[in-house]
Amino acid sequence: MNNRTFTMIKPDAFSKGYSGLILDRIIQAGFKIIAVKMTRLSPEKAGEFYAVHRERGFYQELVDFMSSGPIIAAILEKSNAVADFRTLIGATDPAKATEGTIRKLYAASVGENAIHGSDSNENAKIESDFFFSVLERY
Ligand code: ATP
Ligand code: MG
């Protein structure tokens, strides 16, 4: 399975009103929305989602930020989805992101960087299952 990825529009981009613009860019780039929901992560759930970063200095900041307001979660389908979506969103640090990428356009800093994209097919499945039941997928 290399045709699906998972994304979240993070609280910074949501609160600035960028959700519609970002979803439009994703669709225009050829990704099909398989599932989508607006939700808010509790600190516990945000910590679980980013558990791989538990030992990093920015972990608590990341958990606080990701639970600070609503997010939009989605499963996306396209050939080569994981890699193509990482290209579309750009580097983790928006200052290093390529022109025209979602983070270059809409992110303010490495911490508040507008959007998440899965980094492997395996994590795309784990992250999709974290948010969506089978009944919530098209
Ligand atoms: P994401 O997993 O959210 O798509 P990424 O894969 O580009 O981002 P990761 O290394 O997985 O980057 O880091 C996860 C998230 O942790 C980043 O998106 C960012 O919000 C936050 N983060 C990473 N590095 C830092 C840092 N140095 N300072 C503050 N926050 C950071
Ligand atoms: Mg990551």
Side-chain angles (χ1 to χ4, degrees), residues 50 52-53 86 92 103 116-119 127:
Y50 280 112
V52 65
H53 295 305
R86 298 280 293 193
T92 308
R103 282 171 168 160
H116 164 79
S118 303
D119 60 10
E127 292 168 4

Side-chain angles (χ1 to χ4, degrees), residues 90-103:
T92 308
D93 182 352
K96 296 176 185 155
T98 302
E99 289 297 330
T101 59
I102 290 173
R103 282 171 168 160

Side-chain angles (χ1 to χ4, degrees), residues 18-79:
Y18 294 148
S19 301
L21 292 166
I22 291 173
L23 285 171
D24 188 55
R25 289 194 86 81
I26 291 169
I27 292 164
Q28 294 306 323
F31 291 86
K32 181 179 164 191
I33 296 176
I34 300 299
V36 66
K37 71 168 78 164
M38 175 182 165
T39 186
R40 181 172 177 163
L41 289 168
S42 64
E44 291 71 26
K45 280 290 182 190
E48 199 183 317
F49 186 88
Y50 280 112
V52 65
H53 295 305
R54 192 178 286 128
E55 306 304 327
R56 309 288 289 277
F58 59 79
Y59 179 67
Q60 191 58 49
E61 180 189 330
L62 177 60
V63 168
D64 290 346
F65 165 59
M66 287 304 299
S67 58
S68 67
I71 58 134
I72 292 177
I75 303 173
L76 305 172
E77 187 172 270
K78 182 185 178 299
S79 62

